[in-house]
Amino acid sequence: MSAFLNLLFRNRLAAMGAVVLAVIVALVLLTPLLPLQDPDITATADRFKRPLTDGHILGTDHLGRDLLSRLLHGTRLSLAVGVAAALIAATIGSAIGIVAGYFGGRIDNVIMRGVDMLMAFPYILLALAIVAALGPGLMNALIAVAAVNVPFFARNIRGVTVGLAGREFIDAARLAGMGHTRILLTELLPNVLPVIIIAMSTTVGWMILETAGLSFLGLGSQPPQADLGSMLGEARSALISHPHTSVVPGIMIFLIVMSINLLGDGVRDALDPRLRSGALSRPRATTLVARKGDIPAPTDDLLAIQDLHTQFHVGERIYRAVGGVSLAVKPGECLGVIGESGSGKSVTALSVMGLVASPPGVITGGAVRFQGEDLIGAPYAALRAKRGDKVAYIFQDPLSTLHPLYRVGHQLAEAIRSHHRVPMAEARARAIQLLHDVRIPNAEARIDDFPHEMSGGMRQRVGIAMALANEPDVIIADEPTTALDVTVQAQILSLLDDLRRARGLAIIFITHDFGVVAQLCDRVAVMYAGRIVENGPTDAVLAAPAHPYTKRLIACVPELGGGRRELAAIPGLPPMVDDLPPGCAFAPRCDKAQEACRTGDIPLSGTPPRAVRCLYPEELV
Amino acid sequence: MPALKVDNLAKTFPLKKPLFGAAPPGVRAVRPMSFQVETGETLGVVGESGCGKSTLARMLVGLLEPTQGTIEIEGRALDNADPAAFGKLIQYVFQDPLSSLNPRKTIRQVMEAPLKRLYHMPKPERDVRIAEIFASVNLREAFLDRYPHEFSGGQAQRIGIARALAANPRIIILDEPVSALDVSVQAQVLNLLADLKRDFGLTYLFITHDLAVVEAVSDRIIVLYFGAVVEIGRAESIFANPRHPYTKLLADSAPVVGRPLTAPEQKDTELPDPLNPPPGCAFAGRCPRATDICRREEPALTPMGDDQLAACHHPLET
């Protein structure tokens, strides 16, 4: 709650709205206690007194009634009616939306078509019709405004509920023996409540305006009772001769609606999880660079990551996602990077081309050299010219990396044409050739498919084709087969293997699967908590792991053909990278850990090509 | 008496009727299948995405109405009328541990629901029972007043298992319980499941796509392809000695340390289209042994050797 208020009041405009609204609400709450004149007593002799005359601070209206008193009483009434209408509309609309979204099917269809019919009328016509049927009066205006706004809530809440109703916790509640009513009230309602509040906060101002509109037309509050709309309506005839009678209620309506809307927008921004997580702050085109310390000297590798440090700065906390990683590949070589979730392997890969989202990502040290040239801190134009052209990526989920609305051929051609000025026809011919290369059967026909028309394996082939489009020197593949079935995975792996042998591609292959590394990679680097703990030729590392973590991780992986058995496990959890222990990050889970492991930095040492970051390695390397 | 007996169970999802013309025949997610699980047994169910394994699981726990067939638990036929009756006999552990916990409820509220709704247990008894269950899944009771987002995947999955145990079921359906977890944590959860099974005399149906995991935990294994059972056999022999060519393809595709990289099938094979299923054996289009009869007649599940059944016109020799 206090975090919410903090977030809310960091928004200056929302804070301003809250202050104005608080003053108005305090004033109208205190109205009965203030020494005001009776708002309904007429004194025709005193009609149209100017503001700041004796006894009438805001002057009087056409019947000589005190404007200040009428204004405060009227505001009180208008606010009450507007808020009541919002509450009623929100309650009824949300109930309809939740029921329709949860049950779905025919119930959903019937309810939502009814709501659609309500929406088919222009709202003011509908409100007028309702008031005409019920007769004028403030209560009937309230009912009309609430009814007109029910569809807005119903549609909004139904959309959210449909998404939630398919979630597994609803199934779990059903298996725990809960009935429909209980699931609606205790499982769904708490999850849609923020959305209801957001929708209410952004519409209550609108509803006050609508009520005022109906009163202005004489359909709301009846004389002599004052509300803001009827005050405006009565003052209309004297608009030119005595403008103050219109201006006073007008300013009040403006202040109320503006302050409520500013506050409502602030509430929405503070409550909406997407906006809160920074969806509004567009990430920069390249990762922010704030390097401290020396920049390592160039080497003759094709791509070299040298002592890379990448951090995430979130508020006060610093997450050291990558804490000094060095990797290098030569042409035609395949390097495996293996690690569990949170070990920093993907962030390392994204740092190469400055693709880590900033904020919060910051590269704080090291270098990434492509053919000797440092890419960290390179200007955006230089990086962009290399992205996809020299260094290409293949990501885990091809469905989310391909644009759903463009045909795959168009996307492939676009990848080519963004780096090379070739005519569309030539790019298309090249795209067909690429689809052939990744062995998509009947490429000439499939090039005009949309991504959703292809199977997962086919989509990942398109992803690989796109990575190959500009004949890059290096491909960085981030778990490219994790989302695929084993039979498809086998095909994709052998395709990658053929391609690198045929074209001399260097591949950095990120995975959590030892079997995949063993089959595809020449060398392997094992990462834990943002650092490399061991590297070396794949066969040597797998046959004789030197770091206790590598050894025990390999033991955890069940292998086909081992039969029924107890599996080895590593107790405990990987450390959080915002709170790394001093010394070896694996020490708390390691059964060989000594005092020395928990103090000071442990270097990566050994005789090339192998190295290990451990004081008491399993094997001497 | 078997713990679970499934007879001719099938599910067809109807397709939307077009504005003009007759309704299409519908997608046969699970074709009629029959199998049994003995008390105390772990039956592994493997298959690739779209083979109907999750549809099967959801029918078994009553979340989905079968189109035909019956489910019997310990000799009693189940009907969908009363979900609470289902809940006391059979429970479900979900694939994604975090999305199976309501983000706005504390773990205590999550754990209390089955005790309150299924067993109408009073508060003091519930507290005792929750403490017992938490002790058996190695979770600290301090976790009970926290919210789901505060837990790692492994801890959340243990909470999911604890919730399933709270209903005191006879059978637990484990739907990919470890595929969202890291390998070092995966083994912790698998070993916990093995201990619980021994301590509480449970029966498991273990659904996964990971052959090595299913082999390590199961007694018997069912291989599904395109909504139908293609092979049933003992866990220790089915992958070493497959009779159905699809089982062999699965076993050959799993990446294994020390085996050279080869694509075990032609590179241009496509999976069958569920909207337009091929006649005969669904695997025929990918099968190197397929002949005309395979493209014409659907093969029936027939016994082959001890404890092994396969649905194939041209089974592999042993």
Side-chain angles (χ1 to χ4, degrees), chain A residues 4 22 56 58 84 101 177 179 221 247 264 303 416 444 454 457 481 504 554 599:
Chain A
F4 164 72
H56 302 289
L58 292 179
S221 76
V247 168
L303 180 76
I416 298 167
E444 288 81 1
M454 304 184 119
T481 58
I554 292 175
T599 50

Side-chain angles (χ1 to χ4, degrees), chain A residues 221-454:
Chain A
S221 76
Q222 299 300 309
Q225 197 180 36
D227 84 341
L228 292 174
S230 63
M231 284 175 76
L232 265 185
E234 288 162 3
R236 187 179 38 169
S237 49
L239 182 63
I240 307 293
S241 54
H242 304 285
H244 73 274
T245 49
S246 319
V247 168
V248 166
I251 287 180
M252 186 51 112
I253 291 181
F254 168 76
L255 283 178
I256 291 177
V257 174
M258 185 206 65
S259 63
I260 287 183
N261 282 349
L262 288 178
L263 183 63
D265 283 356
V267 168
R268 184 196 59 206
D269 291 356
L271 273 182
D272 191 327
R274 271 180 316 139
L275 301 177
R276 195 166 46 183
S277 66
L280 282 186
S281 58
R282 216 159 65 92
R284 303 159 60 99
T286 63
T287 309
L288 205 69
V289 177
R291 278 192 287 191
K292 299 180 200 77
D294 300 332
I295 294 163
T299 60
D300 59 355
D301 296 296
L302 177 61
L303 180 76
I305 299 169
Q306 298 168 310
D307 196 29
L308 179 74
H309 287 77
T310 304
Q311 303 180 344
F312 291 97
H313 295 191
V314 183
E316 299 281 290
R317 311 195 111 164
I318 294 178
Y319 295 85
R320 294 182 169 77
V322 180
V325 165
S326 300
L327 296 168
V329 279
K330 295 187 163 58
E333 191 179 35
C334 181
L335 169 71
V337 179
I338 202 162
E340 297 182 90
S341 49
S343 63
K345 53 193 195 304
S346 292
V347 180
T348 306
L350 291 175
S351 300
V352 170
M353 280 283 141
L355 291 172
V356 179
S358 272
V362 187
I363 294 176
T364 54
V368 174
R369 291 184 188 278
F370 178 76
Q371 293 173 333
E373 182 193 345
D374 193 1
L375 300 179
I376 304 283
Y380 171 59
L383 266 182
R384 201 190 143 203
K386 289 199 175 58
R387 284 179 183 174
D389 194 31
K390 302 288 181 206
V391 179
Y393 284 87
I394 305 170
F395 294 100
Q396 175 171 348
D397 180 7
L399 192 55
S400 66
T401 47
L402 291 174
H403 196 296
L405 297 183
Y406 290 102
R407 298 176 193 279
V408 295
H410 178 93
Q411 299 187 48
L412 277 167
E414 189 189 15
I416 298 167
R417 279 158 58 93
S418 63
H419 288 292
H420 302 280
R421 297 173 61 92
V422 294
M424 196 63 197
E426 196 184 322
R428 187 179 161 87
R430 173 114 180 84
I432 293 177
Q433 183 56 42
L434 283 165
L435 293 185
H436 269 299
D437 291 351
V438 294
R439 306 210 183 87
I440 288 183
N442 201 3
E444 288 81 1
R446 309 288 322 237
I447 191 165
D448 289 320
D449 279 1
F450 286 103
H452 69 88
E453 293 175 305
M454 304 184 119

